[in-house]
Amino acid sequence: MQPTYHPASIEQQAQQHWEERQAFRAGETTDKPKYYCLSMFPYPSGKLHMGHVRNYTIGDVLSRYHRMKGYNVMQPMGWDAFGLPAENAAMANNVPPAAWTYSNIDYMRKQLKSLGLGIDWSREVTTCKPDYYRWEQWLFTRLFKKGVIYKKTAVVNWDPVDHTVLANEQVIDGRGWRSGALVEKRDIPMYFFRITQYADELLQGLDTLDGWPEQVRTMQANWIGKSYGCEIGFRIEDRVLSSAASDPQSPILNPVLKVYTTRADTIMGVTFCAVAAEHPLATRAAQNNPELAAFIEECKRGGVAEADIATMEKKGMPTGINVTHPLTGEAIPVWVGNYVLMSYGEGAVMAVPAHDERDFHFAEAYGLPIKQVITKGREDGFGDGSGYGGGTGSGAGTEDGSGYGGAGIDTPFTTSHWQEWYGSKVIGVCINSGKYDGLGHSAAVDAIAADLAAKGLGEKKVQFRLRDWGISRQRYWGCPIPIIHCAVCGDVPVPDDQLPVVLPENVVPDGAGSPLAKMPEFYECSCPMCGGKARRETDTMDTFVESSWYYARYASPQCTTAMVDKAAAQQWLPVDQYIGGIEHAILHLLYARFFHKLMRDEGLVQGDEPFKNLLTQGMVVAPTFYRESGDGRKQWINPDEVDVETDAKGRPLGAKLKTDGQPVHIGGTEKMAKSKNNGVDPQAIIDEFGADTARLFMMFAAPPEQSLEWSDTGMEGAFRFLKRVWKTAHDHVESGVVAAYRSGELSAAAKALRLQLHQTIAKVDDDMGRRKTFNTAIAANMELLNTLAKFDEQTPVARSVVQEVLESVALMLNPIVPHLSHALWAELRPGSDVLDQSFPQADPAALVQDEIEIVIQVNGKLRGNLRVAKDADKATLEQLALAHEAVQKQLAGAAPKKIVVVPGRLINIVA
């Protein structure tokens, strides 16, 4: 055995051995229980980053651990290969996106293999290859025929220069991120998945996901957003309807303006309604109003994301049109509001400024009436049984009359500023609402909904925040949508025998719309139904589609007859452990759950959910440094280029650039990112320290769910530990390997070492399996090796205990540092392969202790410890405790008032 640890040669040999054995190919037929471990597959951007290293190491540790526990493990890998970054890189380098993507995949695959990941590469999938995306095209045609996919016009961000739809994130200050052109809102035809059809099931299914973080389940529930409210109709004034009916240029108007609200109890406080800029009523009003038309165009240049709407300045303009209040008959003015989205509900809202904060501030800005229709209950908080707390005090009656006290008289209603209680459903009761006065929220909603229904102007309704998923993208590098447009037959799905619709790969986009729309050789075709001339759809699918079902394809990646082989799906699905970042909590994870239900309903898979357990790993963060240029921009500097001065406690005092010695600003500690230039190249770490060191540091520096702060000294410390493990094993092997301890008389020190060994085995087994706290598992091994370093007995039985410890350490660390463990095991057990070994089991006999440690307290405060015989009786324990030096000092010669003995744990002396 070589005396020093050389990771490069050790890791190369181990990886070659695994390759020769095809060690990580998952068994198709086996009597072992299955364990399907999946880390979210990467986008082939060119190089791995430290977030990848952490993500995939976590998965590999779990996979290797379960293999050692007797499971048939599948850990596959693939590439989420479609997407806009490839188009941008292609334009920058004047190469086709396909060539750029495949080159990146080749390099990143080598990087992943250099990490020693136990991946079944025979199951590799690449989403931009026709043998993959043909099956999502196949599913598309099925769902289109069923109506689960449909086509409609939708409002999108349109770049008039690049001729493409922009994501909300690509609209910067109202302009396209690439062209700089003012972005327009346009109605364009798009294909949608009817995900709302599954909204209730997606929501209810969250209750079955016990292995998911509560935070993720809550985020999805909020995104689905089930609410209970009323749909209410406000009739448009007759003059407008009559005028529109006689004008052939006017948009068709529904005689009733429909709104949805969860606060029907405030309907008597409506003082205006607001519609989206794209609403037909707004279009009608703008026909003879140039100022309103200009405002509508301004609104159309804004974003369509809820986050943008929430933070932007709320603007509006009156339409000059009124609607009729459904209960009072009074005229309610209609405004166009830039905060109303046409894609949500009917594109209209009723505004109650007194009890909605957004409406309140809008009314303040434009001098609109604010009418209070909700107040607090009376001060004693006791209702009258009708849900009315009554009076003007600070109490609030509830609907069962119970109520509770508050601070009403200290915060009376005023229109001068908004107060949180104005919008409360809990403590409010109706006032200034006629027959509804005194009713609490639910009672008022019931009564108002009944009256609206009697008039044919409203009803109770359940609504979801979730909207159908628009998947059409006017981009090139994506999966072609398998539809043919025929002037005679309409939109016709591509027949199965013509799938896949292959995306041409030898194309360099120019950024001005999709190249497919300019390629007659792609879009010119014949209608499959009538044989006439037709045009192929040139839009491609949202790349979230590919990542929504890849986990299922891994079960049978070479299957040429089906999207998923049923037998393979039954064997492997659901995924037992899914691993990825919290940033995917909503879109990807929600879409994958949706797709699983689609595939289930097509008879492809069983079960309702794709992922049994979910681990959301924390970010890898590092310090940032920068200088400010003359125009105020920040020039980010890599931490390796900076010298940091610290105080005695290691806190930074200042930093200087190494090349010029001049100061730089110390930024915050942030997620490693190219934009902040604070990343560390994993390949450089592997080249210098080895893959096992990188893996060990990633698992030791923080628990998986928490952020991991990068540390050069931490990486160096991990390397030192592995060198120490190697040297300890080397020193033992050089004296001759022996059989691990099985029986024999042990000294007290040897017995104590075996006790700690088997306590460590039990802890590490629990940490890796149930708890997934790999950092504490590593720490336990470090402590065990510290004890071993102090053990200097050289008798044959003592050396057998040392052998047992070293073999166990090699096995316990195998999931984390598999190359090192491979080499150590080959030295400790010549002719044996660590791949074939089970995880060590704690020996119950070794865990039996002759002595235990007892805590000593005086008046409940810790004062010391005692090692006593395990079977010591109460009198002996009291005698030993009273004789303890610390106890005698506290008693100062006085007799104790009481002695409390908790067997096996502590003695508390009451002085």
Side-chain angles (χ1 to χ4, degrees):
M1 183 178 183
Q2 61 188 32
T4 54
Y5 173 52
H6 294 297
S9 59
I10 289 170
E11 291 174 3
Q12 182 182 6
Q13 291 168 8
Q15 290 168 19
Q16 182 177 346
H17 175 73
W18 300 333
E19 185 73 25
E20 290 171 353
R21 275 197 62 174
Q22 294 289 291
F24 306 111
R25 288 190 73 126
E28 295 293 351
T29 55
T30 175
D31 56 357
K32 295 179 179 180
K34 67 97 177 178
Y35 184 75
Y36 180 3
C37 185
L38 181 62
S39 297
M40 293 179 186
F41 64 171
Y43 180 79
S45 57
K47 292 182 178 181
L48 294 181
H49 54 66
M50 281 299 176
H52 289 133
V53 175
R54 190 180 195 200
N55 187 351
Y56 301 135
T57 302
I58 291 170
D60 198 48
V61 170
L62 290 171
S63 295
R64 289 176 179 273
Y65 167 77
H66 280 84
R67 177 193 175 107
M68 296 178 75
K69 295 293 285 187
Y71 286 83
N72 179 27
V73 173
M74 179 169 78
Q75 182 184 202
M77 182 58 68
W79 310 97
D80 190 10
F82 275 138
L84 188 58
E87 290 194 41
N88 295 335
M91 288 186 286
N93 299 295
N94 196 33
V95 296
W100 182 84
T101 299
Y102 294 138
S103 174
N104 289 347
I105 286 173
D106 289 342
Y107 182 77
M108 293 176 70
R109 187 189 300 110
K110 290 178 182 177
Q111 286 190 299
L112 288 172
K113 288 186 175 182
S114 73
L115 281 169
L117 304 176
I119 289 170
D120 182 352
W121 286 103
S122 70
R123 296 176 182 268
E124 182 179 10
V125 299
T126 304
T127 62
C128 65
K129 289 186 175 181
D131 64 351
Y132 182 86
Y133 64 71
R134 72 165 291 187
W135 293 111
E136 66 190 54
Q137 291 177 340
W138 175 88
L139 182 64
F140 183 105
T141 62
R142 297 300 186 279
L143 298 177
F144 185 77
K145 292 173 184 175
K146 290 171 63 175
V148 178
I149 290 178
Y150 64 95
K151 185 180 181 182
K152 73 168 185 177
T153 58
V155 180
V156 297
N157 301 315
W158 180 261
D159 188 315
V161 172
D162 282 350
H163 305 290
T164 188
V165 171
L166 299 178
N168 293 312
E169 295 76 16
Q170 295 170 324
V171 180
I172 302 171
D173 297 329
R175 296 181 180 271
W177 69 280
R178 202 188 77 85
S179 70
L182 285 171
V183 170
E184 303 170 1
K185 281 185 184 175
R186 279 198 186 178
D187 287 327
I188 68 168
M190 296 179 65
Y191 291 93
F192 287 80
F193 275 100
R194 206 181 296 274
I195 190 173
T196 51
Q197 185 173 306
Y198 289 79
D200 246 329
E201 188 181 356
L202 287 166
L203 184 63
Q204 293 169 12
L206 293 171
D207 292 335
T208 69
L209 299 177
D210 296 333
W212 284 39
E214 184 62 32
Q215 180 186 5
V216 175
R217 292 193 292 173
T218 299
M219 291 169 72
Q220 285 207 9
N222 291 339
W223 186 263
I224 296 168
K226 188 175 186 178
S227 63
Y228 299 85
C230 290
E231 185 175 73
I232 301 174
F234 291 75
R235 183 170 177 80
I236 299 171
E237 55 185 327
D238 290 338
R239 69 171 181 86
V240 176
L241 295 174
S242 300
S243 173
S246 62
D247 183 357
Q249 303 299 317
S250 175
I252 298 174
L253 294 181
N254 187 320
V256 174
L257 181 69
K258 292 183 178 180
V259 304
Y260 173 81
T261 179
T262 59
R263 295 302 307 271
D265 57 322
T266 67
I267 192 171
M268 306 303 279
V270 174
T271 60
F272 68 97
C273 287
V275 297
E278 298 82 10
H279 197 282
L281 202 57
T283 304
R284 174 62 186 171
Q287 284 181 318
N288 298 309
N289 187 336
E291 187 179 2
L292 179 60
F295 175 71
I296 288 173
E297 287 304 311
E298 178 188 337
C299 291
K300 288 181 178 180
R301 289 195 293 270
V304 295
E306 283 187 81
D308 295 337
I309 299 298
T311 57
M312 73 183 185
E313 179 187 359
K314 309 301 184 291
K315 295 180 181 179
M317 186 170 288
T319 63
I321 295 173
N322 291 331
V323 292
T324 302
H325 193 289
L327 295 179
T328 68
E330 61 185 308
I332 303 295
V334 177
W335 285 59
V336 175
N338 69 343
Y339 59 90
V340 185
L341 291 175
M342 192 64 206
S343 57
Y344 286 81
E346 300 283 338
V349 298
M350 72 176 207
V352 185
H355 304 292
D356 180 278
E357 186 174 7
R358 181 189 61 188
D359 295 343
F360 182 91
H361 295 307
F362 189 91
E364 269 190 320
Y366 291 100
L368 295 167
I370 299 175
K371 179 183 177 183
Q372 181 189 10
V373 293
I374 300 292
T375 190
K376 291 189 175 185
R378 70 171 182 249
E379 188 171 4
D380 61 22
F382 289 97
D384 61 5
S386 65
Y388 181 31
T392 59
S394 60
T398 62
E399 288 168 48
D400 62 1
S402 59
Y404 62 92
I409 58 174
D410 297 327
T411 55
F413 185 89
T414 173
T415 59
S416 63
H417 62 278
W418 174 262
Q419 299 180 66
E420 286 303 312
W421 72 264
Y422 293 179
S424 174
K425 295 180 183 180
V426 178
I427 64 174
V429 293
C430 293
I431 60 168
N432 301 325
S433 299
K435 62 185 286 190
Y436 311 113
D437 280 356
L439 296 181
H441 169 73
S442 293
V445 169
D446 289 344
I448 290 167
D451 289 346
L452 289 169
K455 290 172 171 281
L457 290 172
E459 61 181 349
K460 280 192 170 184
K461 186 178 180 181
V462 174
Q463 185 159 299
F464 292 88
R465 179 177 179 269
L466 181 68
R467 293 294 176 262
D468 283 342
W469 175 14
I471 63 162
S472 298
R473 298 293 181 267
Q474 293 68 44
R475 310 201 196 289
Y476 156 64
W477 191 236
C479 172
I481 292 176
I483 292 290
I484 292 172
H485 305 293
C486 175
V488 176
C489 304
D491 292 345
V492 181
V494 175
D496 289 358
D497 61 3
Q498 294 180 26
L499 294 176
V501 178
V502 177
L503 182 74
E505 291 192 347
N506 192 27
V507 176
V508 180
D510 59 10
S514 171
L516 300 179
K518 307 169 190 174
M519 299 174 62
E521 63 271 30
F522 176 78
Y523 64 72
E524 288 181 352
C525 62
S526 299
C527 174
M529 295 182 67
C530 70
K533 286 186 177 181
R535 182 183 177 95
R536 193 181 303 282
E537 175 63 61
T538 58
D539 282 0
T540 55
M541 295 190 207
D542 180 2
T543 56
F544 272 111
V545 175
E546 284 82 57
S547 60
S548 295
W549 69 280
Y550 77 109
Y551 67 90
R553 184 65 180 173
Y554 281 136
S556 52
Q558 281 85 40
C559 182
T560 59
T561 58
M563 188 174 188
V564 185
D565 178 79
K566 290 183 181 180
Q570 187 170 359
Q571 177 187 2
W572 289 111
L573 297 178
V575 175
D576 294 285
Q577 182 66 63
Y578 198 36
I579 304 159
I582 190 73
E583 66 271 19
H584 301 293
I586 296 174
L587 294 182
H588 163 59
L589 288 169
L590 185 65
Y591 292 155
R593 295 181 60 225
F594 169 54
F595 247 74
H596 195 82
K597 296 170 193 347
L598 295 177
M599 292 190 291
R600 175 202 62 193
D601 293 348
E602 289 296 321
L604 297 169
V605 300
Q606 297 181 339
D608 298 327
E609 296 291 341
F611 312 122
K612 186 176 180 181
N613 296 288
L614 173 68
L615 189 157
T616 53
Q617 90 277 0
M619 299 180 296
V620 181
V621 300
T624 58
F625 303 91
Y626 66 92
R627 280 180 177 167
E628 290 184 344
S629 56
D631 59 3
R633 295 183 181 180
K634 291 179 179 179
Q635 176 190 355
W636 297 96
I637 302 167
N638 191 274
D640 282 345
E641 300 171 7
V642 174
D643 282 326
V644 180
E645 181 186 359
T646 60
D647 62 15
K649 294 184 178 180
R651 293 173 296 198
L653 299 174
K656 295 179 180 179
L657 190 64
K658 291 178 180 178
T659 55
D660 62 16
Q662 297 301 306
V664 298
H665 295 286
I666 300 176
T669 297
E670 300 186 38
K671 179 182 177 180
M672 283 188 176
K674 290 181 181 178
S675 61
K676 296 296 174 66
N677 195 18
N678 67 334
V680 175
D681 182 7
Q683 197 59 50
I685 297 299
I686 293 171
D687 292 343
E688 182 177 0
F689 297 107
D692 278 347
T693 298
R695 293 169 60 113
L696 181 71
F697 171 75
M698 285 293 181
M699 296 302 95
F700 183 61
E705 294 89 352
Q706 295 181 15
S707 292
L708 182 154
E709 185 168 353
W710 180 261
S711 165
D712 289 337
T713 56
M715 186 65 70
E716 291 162 1
F719 188 49
R720 283 195 303 272
F721 172 69
L722 295 186
K723 288 193 293 184
R724 183 156 68 95
V725 174
W726 184 269
K727 185 178 186 308
T728 303
H730 169 267
D731 292 347
H732 174 76
V733 169
E734 287 302 297
S735 299
V737 295
V738 298
Y741 176 81
R742 292 293 177 267
S743 62
E745 191 68 28
L746 296 176
S747 67
K751 191 177 290 185
L753 179 59
R754 283 204 83 232
L755 169 64
Q756 185 176 348
L757 166 62
H758 288 276
Q759 287 175 333
T760 301
I761 291 171
K763 175 177 173 52
V764 172
D765 197 5
D766 186 53
D767 286 348
M768 286 191 176
R770 181 179 65 89
R771 296 164 58 85
K772 299 180 180 67
T773 52
F774 311 123
N775 57 324
T776 54
I778 295 167
N781 275 281
M782 290 177 171
E783 292 169 3
L784 177 61
L785 284 171
N786 287 339
T787 301
L788 180 61
K790 300 172 186 175
F791 184 73
D792 57 3
E793 295 181 15
Q794 294 296 321
T795 64
V797 71
R799 295 200 75 249
S800 71
V801 172
V802 174
Q803 179 83 20
E804 182 188 14
V805 171
L806 291 173
E807 287 183 8
S808 299
V809 168
L811 294 174
M812 286 188 285
L813 291 180
N814 181 51
I816 299 169
V817 287
H819 308 90
L820 177 71
S821 294
H822 168 82
L824 290 181
W825 192 261
E827 298 289 349
L828 292 166
R829 295 279 292 274
S832 176
D833 192 340
V834 74
L835 286 172
D836 301 323
Q837 306 308 308
S838 299
F839 200 84
Q841 291 184 314
D843 179 1
L847 293 172
V848 175
Q849 301 182 56
D850 297 330
E851 291 186 338
I852 57 174
E853 193 168 86
I854 296 288
V855 170
I856 299 178
Q857 296 178 341
V858 177
N859 294 332
K861 292 185 178 181
L862 177 64
R863 296 301 178 187
N865 301 283
L866 274 177
R867 288 206 65 82
V868 298
K870 182 182 178 181
D871 55 357
D873 59 22
K874 182 179 178 182
T876 302
L877 293 174
E878 290 179 356
Q879 183 179 359
L880 290 171
L882 290 173
H884 195 280
E885 181 181 356
V887 173
Q888 291 182 352
K889 182 178 180 181
Q890 292 293 317
L891 291 175
K897 296 178 181 177
K898 185 178 181 182
I899 301 177
V900 178
V901 176
V902 179
R905 292 184 58 194
L906 63 84
I907 304 168
N908 183 32
I909 297 166
V910 182

